[in-house]
Amino acid sequence: MVKTTPQLKKITVKPTKPRLLRVGAYARVSTEHDRQLSSIAAQVSHYSRLIQSTPGWEYAGVFIDEGITGTTTKKREGFNDLMNAARSGQIDVILTKSISRFARNTLDLLQGVRELKSLGVAVKFERENIDTSTADGELLLTLLGSFAQEESRSISQNVKWGIRKKYADGQLHSRQPYGYRYSEGELHIIDHEATVVKRIFNEFLAGISPEKTAARLNSEGIKPRYTNKFQGKRLRTILENEVYIGNASLQKTYRPQIANHCTKPNQGELPRFIVENSHEPIIDHQTFNAVQIELAKRRKHGRAASPGISTNAFTSHIVCSVCGKKYHRRTKKRGNRSRKIWWCETATKGKGNPCRAPQLPETILKTICLDLLGLTDWDDTQILTKLDKITVFPNRYLTFTLTNQNEPVIVDLAQWRKPSDCHRNNQA
């Protein structure tokens, strides 16, 4: 057997190219003032150049928050986008200016850093010269994060003191209600917004609900200042705001805790101030007072005080004699046919029918009302001026309380006739 001689061959291995480090950055300013917006633009420019010019680094984006506080992360969209990018493995290193830019709440700071560390993502804080990938990084973060939180608390206290001092001196704060802009301590009218404000007041007095006015404004392409569309709830706050008659109510709301951004109405916890004729009005006093009276009326009588698409004269005016709840309007369908009925709220909420409340067909109710009131055609507004309340009894008797009569009129729904005087006395 011939023995073969081993042959040695040299294998040339190409060196593997090191993977680029994916580096992102985070920047934030707490207000939308021009000076701070200029600052954040400079930060974005700085980080973009730094990352793209550093060998071995791959640009993973600069995430920003404008006009957002650092005491909480819930509403910081840029920060949350950054965290989601890290969770999906798109970032290896995050650069940020300082701890206070990243978070002023120690708990949020440590939770964020620890989650990033578990994902293999390091955070580098330039001002404090801290790198969370090092052993002593988290200890320093805990200490400095506490200092940042205390600094935020101190700044917040000073700002609140300044605002309350201005209120006590009768000076306006820099809030800008719709229709006005704040400049040099004064409110100035914005003409095109003032036109919308006047329309909101006038349509409300014409019987149009804020929700319907909001829908009209949206359909016409008219937009509010900060959001995409008007909402009825927002229009109601405009209707109640005395700022539109030239008065300023100061310290109507407050924040009970320094790091808590939940605003609560001031119900005597702090002094309140009213400054009359503090600026040019958009609405005259007569119109404003008429709106407040109408608002009070509608609160008392419910949505039916202003009949609309989903309401009519019966809304909030039919009451169950057993539980005292209002009757609600419902649609009953059978095949291709449907009809409107009214039923006690207790039954419509899925709680059974413990009141034994009868269902009331709307067509019959309308016919009875027209007969009692001596009318030929149905008109919600006209009915509202004459009908005060309908009380429904389990035995299918109804009492109609009319505005021009002292005694209620009793109607037997089953027979649709007025009961005898004897039965009326027994029912009472």
Side-chain angles (χ1 to χ4, degrees), residues 360-372:
L360 309 178
E362 185 172 276
T363 53
I364 294 179
L365 279 177
K366 285 187 174 183
T367 305
I368 296 174
C369 277
L370 291 174
D371 181 51
L372 294 178

Side-chain angles (χ1 to χ4, degrees), residues 189-206:
I189 292 178
I190 301 174
D191 291 335
H192 69 277
E193 291 186 355
T195 301
V196 176
V197 172
K198 292 177 182 177
R199 176 177 172 178
I200 293 169
F201 275 82
N202 292 334
E203 290 194 359
F204 183 79
L205 289 179

Side-chain angles (χ1 to χ4, degrees), residues 26-31 36 65-77 79 98-110 145 148-153 155-156 255 258-261:
Y26 176 72
R28 178 186 62 81
V29 292
S30 56
T31 69
Q36 293 222 349
D65 282 311
E66 299 176 358
I68 302 293
T69 176
T71 55
T72 178
T73 60
K74 292 181 180 178
K75 297 183 179 180
R76 291 160 62 188
E77 293 183 3
F79 181 85
S98 66
I99 290 175
S100 62
R101 294 299 91 193
F102 194 79
R104 278 187 171 156
N105 180 303
T106 304
L107 180 59
D108 287 339
L109 171 69
L110 294 179
Q149 182 171 335
E150 187 57 37
E151 178 188 11
S152 175
R153 186 185 300 274
I155 292 173
S156 178
R255 289 176 179 170
I258 293 172
N260 183 358
H261 293 270

Side-chain angles (χ1 to χ4, degrees), residues 36 43 56 79 98 145 185 203 224 280 285 322 332 351 358 377 425:
Q36 293 222 349
Q43 291 182 57
F79 181 85
S98 66
E203 290 194 359
E280 186 179 356
H285 283 259
V322 178
K332 296 190 75 172
K351 300 178 180 179
D377 297 318
N425 291 334

Side-chain angles (χ1 to χ4, degrees), residues 304-325:
S306 177
I309 297 175
S310 61
T311 63
N312 62 28
F314 292 137
T315 305
S316 297
H317 286 74
I318 307 177
V319 182
C320 174
S321 65
V322 178
C323 68
K325 299 285 187 180

Side-chain angles (χ1 to χ4, degrees), residues 55-70:
W57 284 9
E58 180 183 345
Y59 181 73
V62 178
F63 301 81
I64 64 172
D65 282 311
E66 299 176 358
I68 302 293
T69 176

Side-chain angles (χ1 to χ4, degrees), residues 222-350:
I222 301 174
K223 293 186 177 182
R225 191 181 300 168
Y226 300 118
T227 56
N228 292 326
K229 62 180 183 179
F230 286 95
Q231 294 182 344
K233 183 179 180 180
R234 173 63 182 139
L235 265 56
R236 291 178 186 277
T237 63
I238 289 177
L239 292 170
E240 296 178 313
N241 197 338
E242 63 283 333
V243 72
Y244 296 109
I245 56 173
N247 296 343
S249 181
L250 309 180
Q251 206 151 264
K252 293 171 67 173
T253 60
Y254 76 106
R255 289 176 179 170
Q257 297 179 13
I258 293 172
N260 183 358
H261 293 270
C262 177
T263 301
K264 293 188 175 182
N266 181 8
Q267 298 178 336
E269 291 84 356
L270 295 171
R272 287 187 60 176
F273 308 93
I274 184 77
V275 182
E276 296 182 348
N277 303 318
S278 64
H279 53 277
E280 186 179 356
I282 294 177
I283 303 298
D284 61 82
H285 283 259
Q286 183 178 359
T287 300
F288 185 82
N289 291 337
V291 165
Q292 305 318 301
I293 293 172
E294 185 65 17
L295 282 169
K297 172 187 172 184
R298 296 188 189 188
R299 287 195 185 99
K300 179 180 178 181
H301 295 290
R303 293 184 301 167
S306 177
I309 297 175
S310 61
T311 63
N312 62 28
F314 292 137
T315 305
S316 297
H317 286 74
I318 307 177
V319 182
C320 174
S321 65
V322 178
C323 68
K325 299 285 187 180
K326 300 289 194 303
Y327 261 56
H328 287 197
R329 193 187 198 195
R330 290 291 183 267
T331 301
K332 296 190 75 172
K333 294 184 178 181
R334 178 175 293 178
N336 295 327
R337 302 177 61 183
S338 65
R339 63 191 181 100
K340 302 294 183 183
I341 60 104
W342 292 80
W343 206 11
C344 175
E345 178 184 348
T346 302
T348 61
K349 294 299 182 182

